[in-house]
Each structure stands twice: as C-alpha cells, then as structure tokens.
Amino acid sequence: MNHKEKKHSQAAILGLQHLLAMYSGSILVPIMIASALGYSSQQLTYLISTDIFMCGVATFLQLQLNKYFGIGLPVVLGVAFQSVAPLIMIGQKHGSGAVFGALIISGVYVLLIAGFCSKIANFFPAIVTGSVITTIGLTLIPVAIGNMGNNSEKPTAQSLLLAAVTILIILLVNIFAKGFLKSIAILIGLMAGTIVASCMGLVDFTPVTQAPLMHVPTPFYFGIPKFEFSSIIMMCIIATVSLVESTGVYFALSDISKETLDSTRLRNGYRAEGIAVLLGGIFNTFPYTGFSQNVGLVKLSGIKTRLPIYYAASFLILLGLLPKFGALAQIIPSPVLGGAMLIMFGFVSVQGMQILARVDFEHNEHDFLIAAVSISAGVGLNGSNLFNSLPTGLQMFFSNGIVMASVIAIVLNLILNHKKK
C-alpha cells in the first residue's frame, strides 16, 4: 500500500468514527419528534433515512472553502437538539406543514443575517452560550425520563430494568474504555440495551423487514409547507441559538487546527448552515448545527484535516439512501432510548456548565444574574400552563424553555454588559 492509499484508508476509518460518534444523536431527534407527532412506522423510516442523508449534505456544504459558503474546518453537522421541543410544539398545535414552513423561512433568515452575525460574534459570550446550552439539556431530561418509563402512566419493572441496564452499560464503557470505543459509548449502550430487550421478546423487527432497500429523499414528503407567523418567529430564534452554539464549535476547531477565523469565513460558515436548514425544510427533516462531540474526536485523533470528515459525510449520504439502516433505529425500545437520552442530555447540560465555568462571576455580578434568571426561567416555563390564557402563538413562545432562556440571556447581556462591549 503506497502512502496515498494508506492516507485515504486511515481517513476512511477516522470518518467512520466521526459517523458513529454523532449517529446516536442524529437518530434520537427524529424518533422523539415522530413519536410526539404520531407519525407511522413508514414515515419514521423516511424521516430517519432522510435526516442521515441531509446530515451528510450539510457537512459537505460546511467543509467547502470558497468565497460564498463553507467554514472550511473539520466540522460535522448534525440535528440541533434545541429544535426538538419547539418543533414538537409547532407540530402539535399547527401540524407538520407549519413545522417545515417555519424551517424553510428560518433557513432564509440565517442566510440573510449571516454577514451581520459574523461581525457581532462577541455579542454572544460564554455567559449567553453557557446559559442556553445548560437550559437545552435540562429541559430535555424530562423527555428521557418519560421514555425510560415507556411513556406510560404506570411504568413496568421491565421498562425500568431495561433503562437501568442501558445506563449501566454506557457508564461502564465511559469508565473503562478508551479512545474510539469511549467516543461511541451511547451507541454501544443503545445496541446492548436492544439486544437485552430482544432476549426479553420486546423487539419488533417489522419496520426493518418492511423498509425498502433504497429510497431517494423527496421534497415536501409530508405535504405543502404552511407559513404560520408564531412558528416562524420561534424557529428563527432557535436558528439564532444554533448559530451561537456553532460559533463555539467553529472557534474550538480553529484553535485545534491553528487556522484563523475572520468575519468572512464566519459569514460563509453561517451561510452554509442557513442552506442546510433551508434544505432540511424542503426535504422535511430538521435544522442542522455543528456537533460539539466531534470536536473532541478531532482533538483525540490528532488529524486536523478535512479528509476524514469528507469520508464521514459520504458515509452519511450512503446510509441515508438505504432505509433499512434508518429502520434499525425504530426497533430500539423506548426504555433503552430513555436511558441513553438521560446520559446524553446530561452531557449537554454539563457542557453548558463547563462554558459557564469560564465566566468570571466573582468580578461581574451581572453575569451571575443573567445565568440565574435565564436558566431558571427556561427550565421553569418549559411546558408550563402559566400562559394558557394567552393566544396560541404566544403560548407556544412563552412555554418554550429554550426560546425563553435564549431571549432572556441575550437581552439581559446586552442591557447589563453593554459597557463591556
């Protein structure tokens, strides 16, 4: 094997590692949303397969380094977790058409504000990003708990046992494994939990046998998009939150790869993300953002080039064209998913707390106030009935914890820390 072949074979293995590290996160989102909106097994297979396909397309867009779009760093794009609760709320109130209509407009919105945001990245400091990411994790944890109990009013001992086994396996892998195996601990937990459930006769393989061998993503699969004002506003806010999160990912990767990020490159990165969100709306999937867990893999492997990520994107696109792989995710029992979700969303919360740990609270009591108010409002108001007397659009807005935490953190930071700017 010559040097070039060796280089590509190593890059392909690293690309597979990147895919496995983000795969569990990418399949959890469509499963959660489809379950909440009552989608059929066939619709969920489409949703998962097309979502995986679009993760690959979105990553390809972001890997480019031209004068129009692409950050040109080894970044992997996946589904934005912060979009889960808002999309479920929109779908339940206004239907699937409003979900994808709001995504299309939010993608256009990101494209329009990309240049502006690239020049004001300092307006989203650690106090804002840390507060928002902490809230994202904390508000999603109840969803994990619901799945652990099989979303039943009277969870069985069987459900609790499956969830506990999954959590235990993920913990053991995280404690004793190293490198690659440790990076896919969530995926190992999902697989092992499903095997245990299969031995208990709780796994139904029907979705896999019924799924077609191949499919092509279809524009407007769930019908004509509907453009509902409050849904659009909510998803534009979520898109802004995603940009804030992605900014952190971009700067982390630029630091690892020793590449300088100027405002033009940031703008092109935001544009690529906007195109990805727009395509997600058209092909009826989700918004996409930089995946922070893959930043750790870049650092771990020491390979800072884009070649492994090109392989990862290619693998994602290939898997997305094979629905039986997407259908495999459907056989995972809810308690197993719940156990994995509990740890994954806990990771998200702690990641936010790590960002907050970099804030100098001792010398700026305003930052303490920003974090306290935004996180408590986000967690407390999420799914609350406090605003049931308001019109539906306002209910959706004020009862979404992630949206409220984001708006409060950004506004309070602008007001209280304006002198620092």
Side-chain angles (χ1 to χ4, degrees):
M1 186 184 290
N2 60 38
H3 176 70
K4 189 175 181 180
E5 288 173 338
K6 187 178 179 181
K7 179 183 175 184
H8 278 271
S9 62
Q10 288 176 342
I13 293 168
L14 287 168
L16 180 62
Q17 179 173 272
H18 275 284
L19 181 149
L20 292 173
M22 58 84 71
Y23 188 79
S24 53
S26 293
I27 62 172
L28 284 178
V29 173
I31 290 171
M32 290 162 65
I33 292 175
S35 173
L37 300 184
Y39 287 169
S40 68
S41 174
Q42 184 183 6
Q43 288 173 319
L44 178 53
T45 297
Y46 171 85
L47 206 58
I48 294 170
S49 299
T50 307
D51 175 48
I52 295 166
F53 179 88
M54 291 307 300
C55 283
V57 172
T59 302
F60 262 125
L61 289 170
Q62 200 59 280
L63 286 170
Q64 305 310 306
L65 190 56
N66 58 53
K67 62 180 181 180
Y68 299 111
F69 64 86
I71 198 77
L73 291 170
V75 58
V76 175
L77 268 71
V79 187
F81 271 116
Q82 53 266 38
S83 69
V84 173
L87 290 178
I88 289 173
M89 193 178 289
I90 293 167
Q92 289 175 339
K93 295 274 186 182
H94 301 290
S96 296
V99 167
F100 301 115
L103 282 178
I104 289 169
I105 300 301
S106 67
V108 174
Y109 160 79
V110 172
L111 284 170
L112 292 175
I113 67 165
F116 175 71
C117 283
S118 67
K119 292 179 173 62
I120 60 160
N122 63 320
F123 276 81
F124 305 119
I127 186 61
V128 172
T129 55
S131 299
V132 171
I133 292 171
T134 302
T135 305
I136 290 167
L138 294 177
T139 53
L140 287 174
I141 286 171
V143 178
I145 300 296
N147 276 279
M148 287 170 67
N150 208 22
N151 295 304
S152 169
E153 289 187 12
K154 292 183 178 180
T156 63
Q158 209 173 35
S159 296
L160 300 179
L161 177 64
L162 270 180
V165 166
T166 305
I167 291 169
L168 180 62
I169 290 166
I170 294 171
L171 289 176
L172 289 173
V173 173
N174 265 290
I175 293 166
F176 295 108
K178 292 181 180 178
F180 172 58
L181 283 178
K182 188 174 182 178
S183 73
I184 60 167
I186 297 286
L187 195 64
I188 292 171
L190 287 171
M191 291 166 63
T194 303
I195 291 169
V196 172
S198 181
C199 295
M200 297 164 70
L202 299 175
V203 176
D204 179 12
F205 290 92
T206 307
V208 180
T209 57
Q210 290 182 345
L213 286 173
M214 284 196 71
H215 91 136
V216 177
T218 309
F220 310 120
Y221 177 86
F222 288 93
I224 301 299
K226 176 184 172 186
F227 302 102
E228 197 276 323
F229 183 72
S230 61
S231 304
I232 289 168
I233 296 298
M234 187 179 293
M235 289 317 298
C236 285
I237 293 171
I238 293 298
T240 307
V241 174
S242 295
L243 287 186
V244 173
E245 185 181 0
S246 289
T247 303
V249 171
Y250 300 155
F251 278 112
L253 284 169
S254 72
D255 185 55
I256 293 169
S257 59
K258 307 299 180 192
E259 290 197 37
T260 305
L261 278 187
D262 56 18
S263 62
T264 302
R265 207 160 162 183
L266 264 180
R267 179 204 67 193
N268 291 351
Y270 296 152
R271 280 181 180 173
E273 200 162 308
I275 296 169
V277 176
L278 177 60
L279 289 173
I282 292 171
F283 287 93
N284 291 177
T285 56
F286 310 106
Y288 298 94
T289 188
F291 255 31
S292 53
Q293 54 261 55
N294 291 82
V295 175
L297 279 182
V298 173
K299 194 168 185 178
L300 187 73
S301 68
I303 308 297
K304 301 163 188 176
T305 66
R306 288 173 286 162
L307 186 59
I309 313 300
Y310 271 112
Y311 274 102
S314 302
F315 293 150
L316 283 165
I317 288 173
L318 181 63
L319 284 180
L321 295 173
L322 305 171
K324 286 194 183 294
F325 280 95
L328 276 173
Q330 292 188 55
I331 69 172
I332 305 170
S334 290
V336 174
L337 276 173
M341 285 176 182
L342 185 72
I343 293 178
M344 183 171 280
F345 298 152
F347 281 164
V348 174
S349 303
V350 175
Q351 185 187 4
M353 293 172 193
Q354 283 182 319
I355 295 171
L356 287 175
R358 300 201 294 265
V359 177
D360 187 5
F361 288 110
E362 191 176 335
H363 294 98
N364 188 354
E365 61 183 22
H366 289 161
D367 282 346
F368 196 89
L369 195 63
I370 292 165
V373 175
S374 59
I375 293 172
S376 58
V379 175
L381 295 176
N382 192 59
S384 162
N385 63 358
L386 194 63
F387 305 102
N388 282 3
S389 59
L390 298 178
T392 302
L394 291 177
Q395 278 183 48
M396 287 170 56
F397 185 87
F398 287 113
S399 300
N400 188 290
I402 298 166
V403 169
M404 291 306 295
S406 306
V407 171
I408 291 169
I410 291 169
V411 171
L412 283 181
N413 179 61
L414 287 172
I415 294 170
L416 299 176
N417 288 334
H418 67 281
K419 290 181 180 177
K420 289 169 71 178
K421 304 287 179 268

